[in-house]
Amino acid sequence: MKYVIIGAVAGGASTAARLRRLDEHAEIVIFEKGEYISYANCGLPYYIGDVIKDRNALFVQTAASFNQRFNIDVRTLTEITAINTDTKTVTALNQTTGKEYEESYDKLVLSPGAEPIRPPLPGILNEGIFTLRNVADTDYIKGYVQQQRVKKAIVIGGGFIGLEMAENLHDLGLAVTIIEMGSQILAPLDFPIAAIVQQHIRSKGVNLLLNSAVTAFEKNGAGLKVLLKNGEALDADIVIMSIGVKPDTRLAIKAGIKIGDARGIWVNEFLQTSNPDIYAVGDAIEFSNPITNTSMNTYLAGPANKQGRICANNMVLGNNHPYHGAINTAIVKVFDMTVATAGMASKHLTNAGIKHLVSTTHGGSHASYYPGAKQMSIQIAFSPEDGRLLSAQIAGFDGVDKRIDILSSVIKRNSNIYELTEFEHAYAPPFSSAKDPINMAGYVAENILQDRLRIFYWNQLDTLTHDDLLLDVRTHEEFIAGNIPNAINIPIDELRGRLKEIDPNKNIYIYCLGGLRGYLAQRILRQNSYDKVWNMSGGYQLWEPCTNEIKSS
């Protein structure tokens, strides 16, 4: 059996290695149009920022070592220009010699990845404007920063790569501006969690411009001018374009392979394309979203590597290993913070017509009495019918990674918030609390579903009227330090003795710092014949960054 693989980074290299482990005698040829294979794409920004000092550390395998270990014919700097499905051959162009030739296959794997979006803006081809997708891009950017002695950088796009680049350029001592066309950074997040991270970015002295569109670039001496739709012009010595990627489907389209609704290569549950002898993995494919059952793409290394293994299993052993899709679990370091997401944001669930409730809780990375505990904010979305967990988002400083992995597992297994209440974690004061933030998120969600807790959200305050009561149950000192306008202050510990000050005929909206004291206040009031009582999800700790961000935008 002869296998030909197009693309040798994450999905392609993973497929090739698994094929060899399953079949020692198969002929395996892997083509890569770039110079390098199997490199750590996600580590590229950190090499530019000198966090990773050794360039060679980026390479999991070289073409030579891959060949030696796996006996695989690796052909770098060779681009596949056509697939002939009738003759089962591919046309290869050796970019070094210019020679073109054909290679036959029994089974073919497409792993062409995705390509950066570069809109046809005036001046976009000027020197000093880069995208970051591969090792060559990394070398160009790093060399340019060093040789040109740049001082001002503009990053266009507030996604994962854009934020990583902004941080690393900032750490090199550059003045950094992030320009984002949308109303927030990190589109997979809902605004409240994004707002927390945006406030942190601004605290680092980074200029963050939201709702801002770039219209053109101009040369400005040795530097550049970035022109915005609102008429502003910003100076820059280097520009990083990071506005997204799109599946590279050019070969598939030319070969008559089916393209799906999400404009990626369509594959079935076994990662087989519309041609039974051709499979596909990685950024170029689309598959069914496990939550909505609609077509989706994902541009993450984790799913690509897992798809490679599954793809090889199905080609060698027969189609008996289905791929169950991805819920886009992702994490990113943003200066001192970590932000992570899994599943579908509330805004996307709403757009898909999926009923859900949202709850935000705050908790410590470990026991508060043990030194160094840091706060994290956890937002979950879940079904009002059965508590099925649909999404999770976390912003914090420590321990975010292990919590998102737990929540991702619950989402992927179609499990519910009740599992969170009983989740058994390893506990010792340096690592967690007896009730972990995961448990607390589950407890709050359970209380909501069982009507022990009625919530409202920070952005619903505008709907309150003079006939409603906004009640702050924090201490007097906290209230004086900062409060929501028009609130009255009755600390939770004084509430039972001051019930006569509260009109039972009014709608009562309670808030505290994070939500716990507000919940306790609601339980007191509702058990004293106050029926119209709600508690603000996430509390003042969520309201403050959200309202500050609205003022900044």
Side-chain angles (χ1 to χ4, degrees), residues 349-350 352-357 382-385 390:
L349 291 169
T350 299
I354 297 176
K355 293 181 180 179
H356 64 284
L357 297 168
F382 51 96
S383 166
E385 282 84 23
L390 301 171

Side-chain angles (χ1 to χ4, degrees), residues 328-454:
N328 280 353
T329 303
I331 191 167
V332 62
K333 177 181 179 295
V334 184
F335 294 96
D336 303 323
M337 288 199 82
T338 303
V339 59
T341 177
M344 291 190 71
S346 173
K347 60 187 176 183
H348 298 141
L349 291 169
T350 299
N351 291 339
I354 297 176
K355 293 181 180 179
H356 64 284
L357 297 168
V358 175
S359 172
T360 303
T361 53
H362 311 283
S365 55
H366 58 254
S368 59
Y369 59 83
Y370 187 88
K374 300 288 181 66
Q375 281 283 296
M376 68 177 73
S377 299
I378 300 178
Q379 176 192 291
I380 60 173
F382 51 96
S383 166
E385 282 84 23
D386 58 8
R388 178 189 173 190
L389 190 62
L390 301 171
S391 74
Q393 300 171 23
I394 311 177
F397 295 88
D398 188 27
V400 170
D401 52 344
K402 72 176 181 179
R403 272 73 180 205
I404 199 67
D405 288 342
I406 295 163
L407 293 164
S408 173
S409 174
V410 174
I411 296 167
K412 191 72 182 288
R413 291 183 288 105
N414 294 326
S415 191
N416 55 48
I417 58 94
Y418 300 107
E419 179 179 338
L420 304 183
T421 66
E422 297 187 23
F423 178 78
E424 185 176 347
H425 60 289
Y427 161 60
F431 305 104
S432 183
S433 298
K435 294 178 180 177
D436 189 81
I438 291 291
N439 300 133
M440 297 305 297
Y443 295 148
V444 171
E446 180 185 53
N447 284 336
I448 293 170
L449 288 181
Q450 296 178 354
D451 195 37
R452 294 193 184 96
L453 170 62
R454 296 172 186 170

Side-chain angles (χ1 to χ4, degrees), residues 172-251:
L172 289 176
L174 278 62
V176 176
T177 295
I178 301 170
I179 301 174
E180 169 55 51
M181 187 166 63
S183 59
Q184 66 168 74
I185 60 170
L186 297 171
L189 296 180
D190 288 305
F191 174 74
I193 298 298
I196 295 171
V197 184
Q198 287 167 195
Q199 288 281 286
H200 181 64
I201 291 171
R202 295 186 199 277
S203 76
K204 294 296 181 178
V206 172
N207 186 23
L208 176 59
L209 302 179
L210 302 172
N211 299 302
S212 299
V214 175
T215 57
F217 305 93
E218 293 178 355
K219 286 297 290 181
N220 181 30
L224 295 158
K225 275 197 179 296
V226 180
L227 308 184
L228 303 183
K229 189 175 182 179
N230 64 4
E232 288 187 55
L234 305 177
D235 293 327
D237 300 312
I238 187 171
V239 172
I240 307 295
M241 295 288 297
S242 186
I243 60 174
V245 296
K246 59 182 179 180
D248 187 347
T249 57
R250 291 170 294 181
L251 271 176

